[in-house]
Amino acid sequence: MDTHDLTQLKVANDGSGLRNALEAHYQVKSIAHVGNFVFRADREDAAPLRITTEPVDLAMQTIRIIDIQEIDR
């Protein structure tokens, strides 16, 4: 799966928007907020992902995925 398919995607910053977007492409076990608009997604049988996002609006209701990278377990 090419992670570029998800970059620039805008999702709700509500705890489920990011998860729903990722689950369309990955088998996600859990997602955790690491801090400063960075998230970690643990997957079933693959390395975790670090997802970097940025706010789209001043109220931070929507975020944009700007980078997805596999990280060491």
Side-chain angles (χ1 to χ4, degrees), residues 1-59:
M1 153 61 203
D2 187 359
T3 59
H4 296 291
D5 292 346
L6 291 173
T7 57
Q8 301 305 312
L9 182 66
K10 296 177 187 175
V11 297
N13 189 13
D14 63 0
S16 64
L18 183 59
R19 183 180 188 106
N20 292 339
L22 291 171
E23 285 181 338
H25 300 275
Y26 301 104
Q27 290 185 328
V28 177
K29 287 190 331 188
S30 64
I31 295 183
H33 179 247
V34 177
N36 201 23
F37 296 97
V38 177
F39 298 83
R40 175 190 170 111
D42 289 320
R43 299 186 289 167
E44 291 294 331
D45 292 325
L49 300 171
R50 182 181 64 223
I51 304 99
T52 306
T53 67
E54 64 184 5
V56 173
D57 53 75
L58 290 177

Side-chain angles (χ1 to χ4, degrees), residues 1 15 18 63 69-70:
M1 153 61 203
L18 183 59
I63 55 177
Q69 294 184 4
E70 283 191 356

